[in-house]
Amino acid sequence: MSLRDVLSPFTAWKHVINDPVTIKDPFNRPGADRYRGFHQNDMDKCIGCGSCEEICQNAAIDMVPVEGQEAGPGDSGLRPMIDYGRCCWCALCVDVCMTGSLTMSNEYTWVDSDPDAFRFVPGVDGKSWDLEPKGYQREDTRRLTGTTRAPMGELAPEDRIGNFCEIVDGFTPEQAVIEADRCVECGLCVATCPAHMDIPDYIAKVRDGDFEGGLQLLYETNPFSQACGRICTHKCETTCAAMHEGDAIAIRWLKRAITDSVDKDRYFDLIQKPDVPETGQSVAVIGAGPAGLTTAFDLARKGHKVVVFEALDKPGGMMRYGIPEYRLPYDVLDHEISVIEAMGVEIRCNMRVGHEISMEQLAKAYDAVVLSIGLHQGRSTRVPGSDKAEAAIDLLRRITAGVEVPVPEQVAVIGGGNVAMDIARSMARLQKIKYGRVGVTVTALEDLDRFLADREEIEEAQEEGCVIYPARGPQEIVLDGETVMGLRTWKVQAIFDDQGRFAPKYDEADEMIHPAGMVVEAIGQMADISLLGEALTEKLEWNRGRIMIDSTGQTSEPWLWAAGDAVSGPDVIHAVADGHRVAVSVGKMLAAKREKVQ
Amino acid sequence: MRHILYRLKDRYHLGTPVFQRDDLCFVTVKRFELRAILTELRDVEGFTHLTLLTAVDWIEEQQFQLTYMVNNRVANLTLALRVMLDREDATGDTIHDLWPTAATYQRELREMFGITFPGSPRVDEEFILEGWTDLPPYRRDFDTLAYSQQTYNDRPGRVTHDPKTHMQKTLYADYPKGAK
């Protein structure tokens, strides 16, 4: 041992006047800034999707109802309860969180003699670290679930404007699988869908490449999946968990991908009529639109004889005569309806109830009658000259039917809803074909961001050359003798009064004349109820001009139900949901009747 | 750091270096050159400290990645060497003679990933998982959830709710679910 070895320990004394490098108070030492400690959950952001529970590798999380959080659109009302006896602090739950509500504080020391104290709902059961800004937060450079939609092809504006070809290509099966893979299958969307389709389940089928299984799932809740895969208002996508930090899952296009991927002939093998005995009972459905045909589909599969009476040439209702071909091709609709007919549903076209056959005859000949007549009469603005205006819905029907419609070089459309966009874009196509140029003006009372039309409809209309004038109120259809010369509008200052009643206020100084050889009114439709006849109209109970129905769709008459746009609206998927509801109600009545007889 | 990499590059196969910071760099090397590079880093370049030895399971590529992180305390530089192993033949080369602490890391990797290091002291002895009979738990094909459910009891009184079913009950219990 050298002298140095003996002395060197004492050299440490030279540090005695330095600042200590140890921590003065080791008992209150905070965790590192990004330490993974006890969780925090922002109640304003959490949507109860349960992705945290799903990903947890220790089964430490339960989704539980908590006070003050109600289920509603896009929020299950459930919140994660964490069992810290199981949690391993891996933070996968934070990484997967769809809204970024779940984070971790850097607090990790806590002593309690009650083991159940370590099971609590972060953000609901208050803790001292709830507002601690430090701790683990997800790095936003990489996400466990993709944030952007898989790409999909569509026709460019210049390629689509001169024809009625379908605009959207739809996903290829490969693209669909990529898109389906982004879905966390939380199922928040199911509550929003009026028909409560099994969305996460069919998306899972897409992800697994089982399109045939997916198709069978679709038909359990919606016999119009081909149509809805194209033109559904897809409100489901407004409550998708993925939309909070990226694009919502393209639920509508995934549905379409399933229907497109299955061979047309295979439908008839996959969707077969259940083997049930014939009941011998019969139901008449008036109107072959989505509500009527869904009712017919359900009832026929229960063994009832169903006859659908359709006033027009072909079945489909608004899907055929309202929605333009470039959004929903007719062959798709024909095929979809043929699957329904394969259930034994008989559709009699060109049978207008009230002309070819009366309500009384139907009531007598059938055990039940379902009224699903839609809204086929256009409303009028009733401004001076409006008797010379065209009704959008009437014009769309004539275009579908192949009747030649007048196509002036300049057209003015009144209205800001989807029907307005449909007729504007249809007329634009006809103008392009006839003159090589588009001349369509769309005016509506609302500001552009308040338009009732779908955003993409407005954008696509503009891309195709339709000029939109928002916040303009129609005052007069300008005539020269019998000829329409244009539309006179004033600037809208307010649409509703203080009480919220419809009472537009205009700036009369801001006047415009939109030159037009045709003015089209697209401000809403009503049901043509003349088929009911005077006696029945008197007998039925009404609610603000609509036939009154109960929650199952039954009218005040025990043999008559009503469904679809005519009584509820506003779109195909609501009509499908109505159809299911009415079918169950009618089925119950028929079963009761059978029991009585036996 | 870049100068060191330039010097090494002349004689060894180096992948593209990834600089996390100016003083922290990751680079992939060939397995048969690892020992030579580590020795040179330690004895010539002043990387005297083995900060850590760890692994990543790239199951899709059927490979294990070993990461040897070494540190030059004087220059305050950290260099991490990555070596890829075939996942089927999970055998690495021991470096316990270069750094004795490596033996402990290697024993841990043997237990958690099932990567063996022949010749490393006590490498086959249990490390922290006593009586482990399942797949090595850090392998990606190890089902953590199934294991934890088999092994641990839930605290009594635990109930969970499926969001979709819960919403159906609370929001639309009356709706007939289609043709089901």
Side-chain angles (χ1 to χ4, degrees):
Chain A
M1 188 180 283
S2 68
L3 182 64
R4 193 168 168 262
D5 287 345
V6 175
L7 292 178
S8 64
F10 298 98
T11 61
W13 284 101
K14 74 180 181 203
H15 297 300
V16 80
I17 51 167
N18 291 356
D19 277 342
V21 295
T22 49
I23 292 159
K24 283 200 180 92
D25 179 5
F27 297 104
N28 290 304
R29 183 173 67 151
D33 287 358
R34 296 190 69 243
Y35 199 85
R36 299 194 297 252
F38 287 106
H39 294 80
Q40 302 155 322
N41 195 7
D42 184 343
M43 281 303 110
D44 293 337
K45 280 163 86 180
C46 182
I47 53 172
C49 67
S51 301
C52 46
E53 178 189 20
E54 195 62 33
I55 203 169
C56 181
Q57 292 300 296
N58 293 305
I61 300 181
D62 294 323
M63 297 304 292
V64 296
V66 296
E67 209 149 306
Q69 302 295 334
E70 300 299 326
D75 183 352
S76 73
L78 301 169
R79 294 295 180 261
M81 176 184 247
I82 303 179
D83 179 354
Y84 286 91
R86 274 181 166 271
C87 176
C88 76
W89 318 87
C90 68
L92 274 176
C93 51
V94 176
D95 283 346
V96 80
C97 179
M98 298 306 284
T99 63
S101 74
L102 196 66
T103 53
M104 279 169 137
S105 71
N106 67 343
E107 183 59 57
Y108 66 102
T109 53
W110 180 23
V111 179
D112 200 302
S113 59
D114 174 15
D116 283 324
F118 294 94
R119 248 184 83 214
F120 61 88
V121 184
V124 173
D125 303 324
K127 298 290 171 202
S128 61
W129 51 80
D130 282 347
L131 296 173
E132 173 60 57
K134 284 180 184 168
Y136 179 78
Q137 268 146 38
R138 182 179 60 203
E139 281 182 68
D140 266 352
T141 47
R142 191 166 164 275
R143 293 279 176 77
L144 294 179
T145 53
T147 52
T148 42
R149 253 178 205 201
M152 183 178 61
E154 63 171 56
L155 287 179
E158 57 275 19
D159 296 331
R160 67 190 190 224
I161 181 63
N163 56 66
F164 281 80
C165 296
E166 186 167 24
I167 294 172
V168 176
D169 292 348
F171 283 135
T172 62
E174 295 76 25
Q175 289 168 331
V177 170
I178 292 170
E179 178 64 8
D181 205 30
R182 299 203 298 126
C183 174
V184 292
E185 294 170 27
C186 61
L188 297 187
C189 48
V190 179
T192 304
C193 174
H196 306 297
M197 296 188 72
D198 299 308
I199 297 165
D201 307 75
Y202 70 69
I203 291 182
K205 293 282 185 199
V206 175
R207 195 195 52 217
D208 299 340
D210 178 11
F211 293 101
E212 294 196 346
L215 189 78
Q216 287 176 315
L217 259 184
L218 292 180
Y219 266 89
E220 285 186 9
T221 51
N222 186 352
F224 283 100
S225 291
Q226 293 189 64
C228 286
R230 288 172 163 79
I231 51 84
C232 187
T233 43
H234 59 112
K235 292 287 181 274
C236 49
E237 294 176 25
T238 64
T239 54
C240 174
M243 74 173 192
H244 294 275
E245 299 206 328
D247 298 339
I249 306 294
I251 300 172
R252 176 173 57 165
W253 301 140
L254 286 174
K255 177 160 50 248
R256 173 171 169 184
I258 294 174
T259 63
D260 282 358
S261 302
V262 177
D263 190 67
K264 294 273 176 268
D265 293 333
R266 273 294 281 164
Y267 276 64
F268 300 97
D269 303 330
L270 294 166
I271 316 301
Q272 290 196 356
K273 188 175 172 177
D275 188 18
V276 293
E278 299 292 324
T279 60
Q281 290 167 307
S282 61
V283 180
V285 174
I286 306 171
L293 289 180
T294 302
T295 314
F297 178 81
D298 284 1
L299 288 172
R301 286 167 68 91
K302 293 271 187 243
H304 307 297
K305 178 179 160 50
V306 186
V307 181
V308 183
F309 295 88
E310 169 56 48
L312 295 172
D313 243 12
K314 284 180 174 172
M318 276 300 172
M319 293 185 295
R320 185 184 301 274
Y321 292 102
I323 294 166
E325 196 181 0
Y326 58 83
R327 289 175 61 200
L328 178 57
Y330 302 135
D331 59 329
V332 172
L333 191 59
D334 289 340
H335 176 255
E336 190 137 77
I337 293 170
S338 69
V339 177
I340 294 170
E341 286 177 305
M343 300 299 129
V345 173
E346 187 192 336
I347 304 175
R348 296 186 194 159
C349 291
N350 294 313
M351 287 287 281
R352 188 176 284 277
V353 176
H355 287 86
E356 279 76 22
I357 192 163
S358 73
M359 281 301 274
E360 287 77 29
Q361 284 171 301
L362 291 180
K364 211 172 276 173
Y366 293 88
D367 293 287
V369 178
V370 177
L371 196 63
S372 51
I373 53 174
L375 305 170
H376 286 266
Q377 240 173 26
R379 289 184 188 277
S380 171
T381 56
R382 302 186 186 214
V383 296
S386 62
D387 55 322
K388 288 282 176 288
E390 293 277 358
I393 204 65
D394 194 48
L395 212 47
L396 285 167
R397 180 169 59 238
R398 278 145 64 197
I399 293 171
T400 297
V403 178
E404 200 168 324
V405 298
V407 184
E409 280 194 69
Q410 198 64 38
V411 172
V413 176
I414 305 170
N418 281 331
V419 174
M421 297 304 144
D422 285 342
I423 191 59
R425 299 175 66 188
S426 293
M427 291 311 291
R429 279 165 171 72
L430 294 175
Q431 287 173 331
K432 181 76 181 176
I433 293 164
K434 189 166 175 186
Y435 305 109
R437 53 175 290 278
V438 172
V440 176
T441 318
V442 179
T443 69
L445 297 177
E446 296 85 0
D447 290 325
L448 195 57
D449 56 349
R450 286 277 171 91
F451 269 37
L452 294 175
D454 296 342
R455 214 44 22 209
E456 59 219 62
E457 283 290 312
I458 296 168
E459 280 161 17
E460 287 174 4
Q462 287 173 323
E463 285 171 5
E464 289 163 6
C466 299
V467 181
I468 297 180
Y469 290 91
R472 307 242 25 125
Q475 302 308 319
E476 183 194 357
I477 288 161
V478 186
L479 302 175
D480 180 12
E482 292 292 292
T483 318
V484 173
M485 300 302 290
L487 173 68
R488 185 164 62 82
T489 63
W490 285 344
K491 174 89 184 164
V492 175
Q493 286 177 322
I495 302 176
F496 300 100
D497 67 10
D498 299 341
Q499 267 89 51
R501 284 174 302 213
F502 180 75
K505 259 176 62 186
Y506 299 111
D507 176 4
E508 298 179 18
D510 186 349
E511 182 172 282
M512 280 176 84
I513 306 272
H514 311 279
M518 175 198 279
V519 175
V520 186
E521 292 175 319
I523 58 159
Q525 293 101 243
M526 48 195 176
D528 179 3
I529 48 163
S530 58
L531 82 167
L532 294 175
E534 214 167 300
L536 185 57
T537 308
E538 275 302 307
K539 223 167 147 194
L540 282 170
E541 284 181 43
W542 295 80
N543 179 21
R544 298 169 126 207
R546 281 180 174 182
I547 298 172
M548 195 154 87
I549 50 168
D550 67 10
S551 63
T552 68
Q554 187 160 23
T555 67
S556 51
E557 289 298 300
W559 53 274
L560 183 65
W561 279 257
D565 284 357
V567 283
S568 37
D571 55 15
V572 172
I573 191 67
H574 276 90
V576 167
D578 257 18
H580 287 315
R581 232 179 258 125
V582 165
V584 169
S585 181
V586 171
K588 273 186 193 156
M589 184 278 276
L590 294 178
K593 214 169 162 179
R594 279 200 305 278
E595 249 166 49
K596 233 180 185 172
V597 173
Q598 277 167 2
Chain B
M1 185 88 88
R2 287 179 200 278
H3 294 292
I4 299 166
L5 290 170
Y6 284 136
R7 283 198 289 277
L8 293 173
K9 205 173 180 306
D10 289 343
R11 281 162 299 122
Y12 304 108
H13 301 82
L14 300 189
T16 313
V18 179
F19 280 84
Q20 296 255 347
R21 299 192 304 256
D22 284 347
D23 58 351
L24 174 62
C25 178
F26 289 77
V27 64
T28 306
V29 303
K30 299 274 185 215
R31 181 177 167 186
F32 67 89
E33 290 177 348
L34 171 75
R35 191 177 178 80
I37 300 173
L38 282 175
T39 312
E40 182 164 337
L41 284 171
R42 186 187 68 164
D43 297 344
V44 181
E45 303 290 354
F47 287 82
T48 54
H49 174 61
L50 176 69
T51 312
L52 59 83
L53 165 54
T54 188
V56 179
D57 181 1
W58 296 106
I59 193 167
E60 291 85 357
E61 283 83 42
Q62 281 296 302
Q63 287 190 314
F64 282 121
Q65 170 194 311
L66 293 175
T67 303
Y68 295 81
M69 190 179 273
V70 290
N71 172 258
N72 178 335
R73 292 183 193 212
V74 179
N76 190 22
L77 294 175
T78 303
L79 185 59
L81 304 183
R82 288 173 174 154
V83 174
M84 306 308 284
L85 299 180
D86 184 8
R87 199 171 178 278
E88 289 295 301
D89 172 33
T91 310
D93 306 310
T94 181
I95 56 157
H96 71 276
D97 52 329
L98 295 181
W99 283 280
T101 49
T104 311
Y105 286 120
Q106 288 167 174
R107 201 171 140 202
E108 184 191 30
L109 290 175
R110 167 84 180 89
E111 185 167 84
M112 303 305 278
F113 285 92
I115 304 170
T116 189
F117 295 86
S120 184
R122 301 173 64 194
V123 72
D124 290 329
E125 286 179 33
E126 285 179 336
F127 185 56
I128 55 169
L129 304 176
E130 293 170 2
W132 189 264
T133 54
D134 216 315
L135 274 181
Y138 278 3
R139 287 202 174 202
R140 296 250 314 276
D141 43 359
F142 172 70
D143 190 337
T144 316
L145 182 58
Y147 178 84
S148 71
Q149 277 170 332
Q150 280 161 20
T151 315
Y152 306 109
N153 290 327
D154 280 335
R155 283 207 72 73
R158 278 189 59 174
V159 190
T160 191
H161 301 75
D162 171 49
K164 187 174 77 173
T165 320
H166 181 72
M167 289 174 93
Q168 180 172 11
K169 271 189 210 148
T170 49
L171 296 174
Y172 58 97
D174 292 339
Y175 182 80
K177 238 341 213 221
K180 258 182 194 170

